[in-house]
Amino acid sequence: MNLKNLVYFIAIILIISSCAKQSTPMGGPRDEDPPQLIESNPKGQSTEVKPASIELIFDEYIKLDNPTKGIVITPRIDKDKVTFTALKNKVIVELDQELEDSTTYVFNFQKSVIDISEENPAENLKLVFSTGKTIDSLSISGNINYLFQEKKIDYNNTIIGVYPLSDTTNLFNEQPYYLTRADSAGKFQVGNIKNGKYRLYAWNDINGSLKAENKSEEYDFLNDTLTIDHNIEGIQFNLAKSDLTPIRILRSGPFGQNYEIILNRDPAELKIQNDGLGQEYFYTIEDKRIRLFSKSIQTDSIPFQLSLLDSVGSQKDSLIFAKFNTSERKPEKVTQSVNSGKSFYKDLEIEIKFNKPIVDINTDSLYVQYDSAGIIPIEKSFISISDSSKRDLIKINLSLPDSISKEIITLKAADSTFQDIEGQYNLEPIAANYRKLKREGLADAISGKIEGAEPPFIVQLLDQKNQLIKESYIEKNQNYSFSLLQPGTFIIRIIEDTNGNKRWDPSNINSNRNAERVFYFTNEEGKKDIIIRGGWTLEDQNIQGIEKTGITNK
């Protein structure tokens, strides 16, 4: 075969090979239709049936997506004995248990049944039947709100649980008898409920256990028994975390020349009583740890009366006998943190937090510098101790004249400026910068009225990272204001301080007490952001209180 014929022969082979090559055919339009239920056994709305298994037939091949969590069955049955299977176009549910007499059952498949091709979920897929002669048809509905909305809320994780009054279980120890999940807007409805008396709860089911974790999950409850003999609307839940673990002392004992008390949680309030407290004895508290200090070695045990109160109102009173003996343990170094980076106008408040009580300050090496040559010495009259029993928080207050035009102001303290109770000095110099603002660059004010709630109020101005910028306490009226603000975007949060203790109190289900309400300024578009610029005054920024936990439509 000559070369010319060989080239023709190879070309023909390549053409034939190309024509014979397999390829994926071009498909038609994407399947966006969800699976449709065409038959079920038992049939929907059937009465006087007690199936051992349930079968659903669809118009296309399907599969199941996390059915154990996604399929909600009410009233409560033992889900450990339920088996879910998908086979071609069928879903089979094996119950393996006896259903209750005269009871309406609801199998809500939510988004657990999806088609094979595009994973479109079946819509509004629910099977209702009764083991008795009638279908229970009562319902309750309402809204979910989270008190502290620091991030976007996934309402779909929120479970509303209904427990018969005769049932001794609750949201912490057993799955509810009836339940549903809130929709993406925080609305919910529980249907097909039997006439009776119930208790209602709502919680953020993060771990998917269908039970609440009081240490890590937000929850709320209706504090009255709910008689369901008609359809009930307007139920309001306001969810927040509330750790019910009682506060207690885990252990106590000497720590070097000091004495340490370890708690299981931080107290909301702490009272320590001893005649020498603030003179001979001092204390610090941080990270569930109380440390007692003595100026001198003590040969006898010293009694201290402790009163601990946690955030939910649990109280623990103890008499501690502390020992302050000599020790070979080397004292800890002095450490401190300063509120550097703070902006101010005219009045500058500096805070220095130490790890131990400070007993002496050398003001000769403590000053504020505003340029290479200009300094303001810190006098003793500028300094205050936040708590004389602790002496671990030093505040320095000074007013800077307008003649100081420099923007950056620096606090400086040489080494050995601060001496603690153990005779230790700060080993390194301290330098902290502050930014002096100009009046013409500040916004004049934000003001408004708090409606739908009663004082006293804690009014908080937060930045976009939910960091506290300013706070005020209103005791007797409903008007709030913040003046001379740095331009920016803010959030205004209101805490309705019902008991007047100047802090937010969570719920206590054991005392049947709901959490204090927390709500925010929102604009006409429902957004929390409030923008203010230099020279602006924003008036009539009214804030509407949220509904209280309970039934709003009675």
Side-chain angles (χ1 to χ4, degrees), residues 402-428:
D402 292 335
S403 58
I404 296 177
S405 59
K406 295 295 183 180
E407 183 179 1
I408 302 300
I409 309 297
T410 305
L411 169 75
K412 290 194 174 182
D415 60 282
S416 302
T417 298
F418 301 98
Q419 182 186 23
D420 73 19
I421 194 171
E422 295 183 289
Q424 304 294 303
Y425 293 90
N426 61 299
L427 299 179
E428 301 291 336

mmCIF file of all heavy atoms in Angstrom, residues 402-428:
data_model
loop_
_atom_site.group_PDB
_atom_site.id
_atom_site.type_symbol
_atom_site.label_atom_id
_atom_site.label_comp_id
_atom_site.label_asym_id
_atom_site.label_seq_id
_atom_site.Cartn_x
_atom_site.Cartn_y
_atom_site.Cartn_z
ATOM 1 N N ASP A 402 -10.511 71.926 75.262
ATOM 2 C CA ASP A 402 -10.611 72.009 73.808
ATOM 3 C C ASP A 402 -9.308 72.469 73.160
ATOM 4 O O ASP A 402 -9.085 72.252 71.967
ATOM 5 C CB ASP A 402 -11.733 72.971 73.411
ATOM 6 C CG ASP A 402 -13.103 72.420 73.772
ATOM 7 O OD1 ASP A 402 -13.229 71.180 73.864
ATOM 8 O OD2 ASP A 402 -14.033 73.220 73.964
ATOM 9 N N SER A 403 -8.464 73.106 73.966
ATOM 10 C CA SER A 403 -7.194 73.602 73.415
ATOM 11 C C SER A 403 -6.270 72.465 72.976
ATOM 12 O O SER A 403 -5.345 72.687 72.194
ATOM 13 C CB SER A 403 -6.481 74.471 74.455
ATOM 14 O OG SER A 403 -6.242 73.723 75.639
ATOM 15 N N ILE A 404 -6.525 71.254 73.486
ATOM 16 C CA ILE A 404 -5.738 70.091 73.045
ATOM 17 C C ILE A 404 -6.351 69.594 71.738
ATOM 18 O O ILE A 404 -7.445 69.038 71.716
ATOM 19 C CB ILE A 404 -5.739 68.986 74.110
ATOM 20 C CG1 ILE A 404 -5.044 69.479 75.377
ATOM 21 C CG2 ILE A 404 -5.061 67.729 73.591
ATOM 22 C CD1 ILE A 404 -5.057 68.480 76.519
ATOM 23 N N SER A 405 -5.649 69.835 70.660
ATOM 24 C CA SER A 405 -6.196 69.519 69.337
ATOM 25 C C SER A 405 -5.756 68.159 68.810
ATOM 26 O O SER A 405 -6.265 67.701 67.790
ATOM 27 C CB SER A 405 -5.783 70.604 68.341
ATOM 28 O OG SER A 405 -4.361 70.690 68.267
ATOM 29 N N LYS A 406 -4.810 67.541 69.472
ATOM 30 C CA LYS A 406 -4.318 66.247 69.009
ATOM 31 C C LYS A 406 -5.420 65.198 69.104
ATOM 32 O O LYS A 406 -6.208 65.180 70.048
ATOM 33 C CB LYS A 406 -3.108 65.803 69.818
ATOM 34 C CG LYS A 406 -1.894 66.707 69.648
ATOM 35 C CD LYS A 406 -1.369 66.663 68.210
ATOM 36 C CE LYS A 406 -0.102 67.499 68.048
ATOM 37 N NZ LYS A 406 0.412 67.474 66.673
ATOM 38 N N GLU A 407 -5.452 64.332 68.095
ATOM 39 C CA GLU A 407 -6.510 63.323 68.040
ATOM 40 C C GLU A 407 -6.214 62.125 68.933
ATOM 41 O O GLU A 407 -7.117 61.594 69.590
ATOM 42 C CB GLU A 407 -6.700 62.847 66.590
ATOM 43 C CG GLU A 407 -7.828 61.852 66.413
ATOM 44 C CD GLU A 407 -8.001 61.440 64.968
ATOM 45 O OE1 GLU A 407 -7.231 61.915 64.106
ATOM 46 O OE2 GLU A 407 -8.916 60.641 64.695
ATOM 47 N N ILE A 408 -4.962 61.683 68.985
ATOM 48 C CA ILE A 408 -4.601 60.493 69.761
ATOM 49 C C ILE A 408 -4.021 60.911 71.113
ATOM 50 O O ILE A 408 -3.061 61.685 71.183
ATOM 51 C CB ILE A 408 -3.586 59.621 68.998
ATOM 52 C CG1 ILE A 408 -4.165 59.197 67.645
ATOM 53 C CG2 ILE A 408 -3.206 58.390 69.827
ATOM 54 C CD1 ILE A 408 -5.447 58.395 67.732
ATOM 55 N N ILE A 409 -4.633 60.392 72.157
ATOM 56 C CA ILE A 409 -4.203 60.637 73.534
ATOM 57 C C ILE A 409 -3.708 59.308 74.093
ATOM 58 O O ILE A 409 -4.380 58.283 73.943
ATOM 59 C CB ILE A 409 -5.362 61.167 74.405
ATOM 60 C CG1 ILE A 409 -6.030 62.362 73.720
ATOM 61 C CG2 ILE A 409 -4.892 61.516 75.798
ATOM 62 C CD1 ILE A 409 -5.134 63.566 73.524
ATOM 63 N N THR A 410 -2.563 59.320 74.773
ATOM 64 C CA THR A 410 -1.957 58.072 75.236
ATOM 65 C C THR A 410 -1.778 58.073 76.752
ATOM 66 O O THR A 410 -1.172 59.002 77.309
ATOM 67 C CB THR A 410 -0.594 57.833 74.567
ATOM 68 O OG1 THR A 410 -0.747 57.868 73.152
ATOM 69 C CG2 THR A 410 -0.013 56.491 74.980
ATOM 70 N N LEU A 411 -2.314 57.055 77.408
ATOM 71 C CA LEU A 411 -2.024 56.831 78.821
ATOM 72 C C LEU A 411 -0.695 56.097 78.921
ATOM 73 O O LEU A 411 -0.469 55.103 78.221
ATOM 74 C CB LEU A 411 -3.119 55.977 79.471
ATOM 75 C CG LEU A 411 -2.782 55.462 80.888
ATOM 76 C CD1 LEU A 411 -2.891 56.573 81.899
ATOM 77 C CD2 LEU A 411 -3.663 54.287 81.271
ATOM 78 N N LYS A 412 0.178 56.571 79.826
ATOM 79 C CA LYS A 412 1.460 55.910 80.016
ATOM 80 C C LYS A 412 1.707 55.672 81.500
ATOM 81 O O LYS A 412 1.411 56.527 82.339
ATOM 82 C CB LYS A 412 2.602 56.731 79.413
ATOM 83 C CG LYS A 412 2.570 56.754 77.890
ATOM 84 C CD LYS A 412 3.868 57.277 77.303
ATOM 85 C CE LYS A 412 3.865 57.151 75.781
ATOM 86 N NZ LYS A 412 5.144 57.610 75.180
ATOM 87 N N ALA A 413 2.203 54.480 81.778
ATOM 88 C CA ALA A 413 2.588 54.116 83.150
ATOM 89 C C ALA A 413 3.895 53.351 83.065
ATOM 90 O O ALA A 413 4.007 52.384 82.303
ATOM 91 C CB ALA A 413 1.506 53.266 83.811
ATOM 92 N N ALA A 414 4.877 53.789 83.826
ATOM 93 C CA ALA A 414 6.172 53.100 83.826
ATOM 94 C C ALA A 414 6.053 51.778 84.559
ATOM 95 O O ALA A 414 5.060 51.507 85.258
ATOM 96 C CB ALA A 414 7.223 53.994 84.484
ATOM 97 N N ASP A 415 7.066 50.918 84.401
ATOM 98 C CA ASP A 415 7.093 49.705 85.210
ATOM 99 C C ASP A 415 7.176 50.092 86.688
ATOM 100 O O ASP A 415 7.661 51.183 87.038
ATOM 101 C CB ASP A 415 8.285 48.833 84.823
ATOM 102 C CG ASP A 415 9.605 49.541 85.014
ATOM 103 O OD1 ASP A 415 9.966 50.375 84.149
ATOM 104 O OD2 ASP A 415 10.264 49.285 86.026
ATOM 105 N N SER A 416 6.666 49.244 87.560
ATOM 106 C CA SER A 416 6.641 49.472 89.014
ATOM 107 C C SER A 416 5.718 50.618 89.420
ATOM 108 O O SER A 416 5.861 51.182 90.506
ATOM 109 C CB SER A 416 8.055 49.728 89.561
ATOM 110 O OG SER A 416 8.913 48.639 89.260
ATOM 111 N N THR A 417 4.742 50.965 88.552
ATOM 112 C CA THR A 417 3.747 51.984 88.923
ATOM 113 C C THR A 417 2.689 51.402 89.852
ATOM 114 O O THR A 417 2.242 52.062 90.798
ATOM 115 C CB THR A 417 3.084 52.557 87.658
ATOM 116 O OG1 THR A 417 4.077 53.195 86.859
ATOM 117 C CG2 THR A 417 1.999 53.564 88.012
ATOM 118 N N PHE A 418 2.286 50.166 89.618
ATOM 119 C CA PHE A 418 1.213 49.536 90.392
ATOM 120 C C PHE A 418 1.770 48.382 91.224
ATOM 121 O O PHE A 418 2.500 47.533 90.701
ATOM 122 C CB PHE A 418 0.121 49.018 89.459
ATOM 123 C CG PHE A 418 -0.505 50.081 88.610
ATOM 124 C CD1 PHE A 418 -0.093 50.294 87.295
ATOM 125 C CD2 PHE A 418 -1.504 50.894 89.131
ATOM 126 C CE1 PHE A 418 -0.661 51.272 86.514
ATOM 127 C CE2 PHE A 418 -2.081 51.885 88.343
ATOM 128 C CZ PHE A 418 -1.653 52.079 87.044
ATOM 129 N N GLN A 419 1.424 48.357 92.506
ATOM 130 C CA GLN A 419 1.863 47.287 93.400
ATOM 131 C C GLN A 419 0.644 46.528 93.907
ATOM 132 O O GLN A 419 -0.337 47.146 94.351
ATOM 133 C CB GLN A 419 2.647 47.843 94.581
ATOM 134 C CG GLN A 419 3.181 46.748 95.520
ATOM 135 C CD GLN A 419 3.837 47.305 96.764
ATOM 136 O OE1 GLN A 419 3.546 48.437 97.151
ATOM 137 N NE2 GLN A 419 4.704 46.538 97.396
ATOM 138 N N ASP A 420 0.700 45.197 93.832
ATOM 139 C CA ASP A 420 -0.442 44.406 94.281
ATOM 140 C C ASP A 420 -0.277 43.968 95.740
ATOM 141 O O ASP A 420 0.730 44.276 96.402
ATOM 142 C CB ASP A 420 -0.673 43.208 93.359
ATOM 143 C CG ASP A 420 0.373 42.111 93.520
ATOM 144 O OD1 ASP A 420 1.074 42.058 94.537
ATOM 145 O OD2 ASP A 420 0.481 41.276 92.592
ATOM 146 N N ILE A 421 -1.269 43.264 96.254
ATOM 147 C CA ILE A 421 -1.317 42.873 97.650
ATOM 148 C C ILE A 421 -0.202 41.911 98.039
ATOM 149 O O ILE A 421 0.150 41.789 99.209
ATOM 150 C CB ILE A 421 -2.708 42.276 97.973
ATOM 151 C CG1 ILE A 421 -2.922 42.173 99.484
ATOM 152 C CG2 ILE A 421 -2.880 40.927 97.271
ATOM 153 C CD1 ILE A 421 -4.332 41.811 99.877
ATOM 154 N N GLU A 422 0.383 41.229 97.051
ATOM 155 C CA GLU A 422 1.471 40.287 97.320
ATOM 156 C C GLU A 422 2.849 40.919 97.124
ATOM 157 O O GLU A 422 3.864 40.227 97.104
ATOM 158 C CB GLU A 422 1.326 39.048 96.426
ATOM 159 C CG GLU A 422 0.076 38.246 96.730
ATOM 160 C CD GLU A 422 -0.028 36.982 95.907
ATOM 161 O OE1 GLU A 422 -0.274 37.087 94.690
ATOM 162 O OE2 GLU A 422 0.154 35.885 96.473
ATOM 163 N N GLY A 423 2.856 42.257 96.957
ATOM 164 C CA GLY A 423 4.131 42.944 96.817
ATOM 165 C C GLY A 423 4.712 42.912 95.427
ATOM 166 O O GLY A 423 5.856 43.332 95.221
ATOM 167 N N GLN A 424 3.948 42.443 94.438
ATOM 168 C CA GLN A 424 4.429 42.373 93.069
ATOM 169 C C GLN A 424 4.103 43.689 92.338
ATOM 170 O O GLN A 424 3.077 44.324 92.591
ATOM 171 C CB GLN A 424 3.754 41.208 92.324
ATOM 172 C CG GLN A 424 3.926 39.865 93.006
ATOM 173 C CD GLN A 424 5.373 39.416 93.008
ATOM 174 O OE1 GLN A 424 5.994 39.296 91.959
ATOM 175 N NE2 GLN A 424 5.913 39.163 94.196
ATOM 176 N N TYR A 425 4.992 44.073 91.393
ATOM 177 C CA TYR A 425 4.807 45.270 90.586
ATOM 178 C C TYR A 425 4.582 44.888 89.125
ATOM 179 O O TYR A 425 5.003 43.818 88.687
ATOM 180 C CB TYR A 425 6.038 46.182 90.674
ATOM 181 C CG TYR A 425 6.265 46.800 92.033
ATOM 182 C CD1 TYR A 425 7.051 46.151 92.978
ATOM 183 C CD2 TYR A 425 5.702 48.036 92.362
ATOM 184 C CE1 TYR A 425 7.283 46.723 94.231
ATOM 185 C CE2 TYR A 425 5.920 48.611 93.605
ATOM 186 C CZ TYR A 425 6.711 47.947 94.537
ATOM 187 O OH TYR A 425 6.915 48.523 95.769
ATOM 188 N N ASN A 426 3.938 45.813 88.395
ATOM 189 C CA ASN A 426 3.875 45.597 86.950
ATOM 190 C C ASN A 426 5.291 45.676 86.380
ATOM 191 O O ASN A 426 6.018 46.647 86.615
ATOM 192 C CB ASN A 426 2.964 46.615 86.274
ATOM 193 C CG ASN A 426 3.415 48.056 86.439
ATOM 194 O OD1 ASN A 426 3.500 48.550 87.559
ATOM 195 N ND2 ASN A 426 3.690 48.727 85.324
ATOM 196 N N LEU A 427 5.716 44.651 85.660
ATOM 197 C CA LEU A 427 7.092 44.551 85.196
ATOM 198 C C LEU A 427 7.335 45.307 83.902
ATOM 199 O O LEU A 427 8.464 45.685 83.598
ATOM 200 C CB LEU A 427 7.471 43.073 85.018
ATOM 201 C CG LEU A 427 7.416 42.212 86.288
ATOM 202 C CD1 LEU A 427 7.778 40.780 85.954
ATOM 203 C CD2 LEU A 427 8.330 42.769 87.365
ATOM 204 N N GLU A 428 6.274 45.519 83.121
ATOM 205 C CA GLU A 428 6.408 46.187 81.835
ATOM 206 C C GLU A 428 5.666 47.519 81.854
ATOM 207 O O GLU A 428 4.656 47.672 82.546
ATOM 208 C CB GLU A 428 5.839 45.315 80.709
ATOM 209 C CG GLU A 428 6.504 43.949 80.578
ATOM 210 C CD GLU A 428 7.928 44.048 80.086
ATOM 211 O OE1 GLU A 428 8.246 45.062 79.422
ATOM 212 O OE2 GLU A 428 8.714 43.124 80.358
#
